[in-house]
Amino acid sequence: MSSSLEQINLIMQLRKHGIHDTRVLRAMELVPREEFVAQAFRDQAYADAALPIACGQTISQPYIVAYMTEKLGVGRDDIVLEIGTGTGYQSAILSQLCRHVYTIERYKELQKSASANLARIGVTNVTTIIGDGWIGWPPKAPYDAIIVTAAAPEPPGALLEQLKTGGRMILPLGETRETQFITQIDKTEDGLEQKELLPVRFVPLVKGRVKRR
Ligand code: SAH
């Protein structure tokens, strides 16, 4: 993977807005975002804006992807669980920073296209799964880190259980779109430590049947 002028420009913007982790910036520079957005939005792929994707969902703006990734603080050997695959873009960024990413999506259509997007750019350490993020993915638990890219009113209990002690979860939490915050939850020997980081607006983490067709 190589970087274009637009990608380098994006990195400069991210730096200006306070993203400093060089591994995260490098991943943002290397992953071609245009491969994850529909043809109609390719000219906006590097704008710092959320864009619509299939199934009425959205791909987050690059700043939020970088911010959540930086806060997640994953290491090279980490196994990461992501809830809300969408296009696979966030998974691709994480794939550059850790050993393996398991990512769950409730729409089969999105899971299939994310899997194709990741293969096209040569990512081999992401497993895409069709399922319900509220119940996580027990077969590979516990995880070093968990990232949720859809908003929930409370942290899903199953995900807290599937997080290693010493691990971290980053997720948008809030009852309504107006009251969401990216939230950091650290699981320590003494229990869970939760802090609100940044006000945001994400699509909801849906409770309901997985869309297998
Ligand atoms: N991270 C994505 C964007 C995610 S948008 C990217 O980089 O493109 C949020 C995604 O969460 C949507 O695709 C939505 O279908 C999915 N989602 C919502 N509720 C879910 C649930 N209960 N289980 C799994 N995925 C869910």
Side-chain angles (χ1 to χ4, degrees):
M1 292 185 230
S2 64
S3 40
S4 67
L5 268 184
E6 283 176 305
Q7 279 166 293
I8 292 165
N9 202 15
L10 172 65
I11 301 315
M12 286 168 58
Q13 293 300 318
L14 293 175
R15 272 218 185 85
K16 216 169 80 183
H17 289 100
I19 306 294
H20 293 305
D21 185 323
T22 49
R23 292 180 68 224
V24 173
L25 289 167
R26 185 77 186 137
M28 295 292 297
E29 188 179 332
L30 286 181
V31 173
R33 189 170 154 93
E34 72 274 15
E35 296 291 342
F36 294 84
V37 302
Q39 204 69 44
F41 294 103
R42 290 224 162 161
D43 58 339
Q44 295 171 57
Y46 292 97
D48 197 16
L51 296 171
I53 62 174
C55 305
Q57 306 301 311
T58 52
I59 176 172
S60 305
Q61 75 184 88
Y63 172 69
I64 295 295
V65 174
Y67 182 87
M68 292 178 81
T69 308
E70 186 171 75
K71 291 294 177 190
L72 199 61
V74 294
R76 290 216 170 282
D77 288 329
D78 285 359
I79 306 294
V80 178
L81 177 67
E82 179 194 21
I83 309 300
T85 313
T87 64
Y89 178 69
Q90 172 76 72
S91 327
I93 298 294
L94 289 167
S95 77
Q96 307 297 301
L97 304 167
C98 70
R99 179 132 58 104
H100 203 95
V101 181
Y102 294 90
T103 180
I104 307 181
E105 172 56 54
R106 69 187 287 271
Y107 283 101
K108 179 152 194 192
E109 181 183 337
L110 288 173
Q111 181 253 335
K112 273 173 62 184
S113 61
S115 173
N117 292 342
L118 291 161
R120 199 168 53 245
I121 65 162
V123 168
T124 55
N125 59 340
V126 175
T127 304
T128 64
I129 297 154
I130 173 96
D132 178 7
W134 281 96
I135 57 177
W137 186 245
K140 299 292 175 182
Y143 300 95
D144 298 293
I146 300 180
I147 182 170
V148 186
T149 63
E154 75 273 333
L159 300 185
L160 293 172
E161 272 169 34
Q162 289 166 34
L163 185 62
K164 261 187 200 164
T165 302
R168 177 174 294 172
M169 175 145 79
I170 298 288
L171 76 172
L173 273 189
E175 294 284 346
T176 66
R177 257 173 88 76
E178 287 66 39
T179 60
Q180 290 176 19
F181 272 85
I182 291 181
T183 303
Q184 172 179 334
I185 301 177
D186 287 292
K187 188 170 181 178
T188 72
E189 297 283 357
D190 302 327
L192 299 169
E193 286 169 14
Q194 183 168 327
K195 63 178 173 199
E196 288 181 349
L197 300 175
L198 187 75
V200 280
R201 288 186 177 203
F202 273 75
V203 296
L205 185 67
V206 175
K207 275 188 176 154
R209 245 156 44 91
V210 168
K211 306 285 186 192
R212 290 187 189 276
R213 282 194 295 155

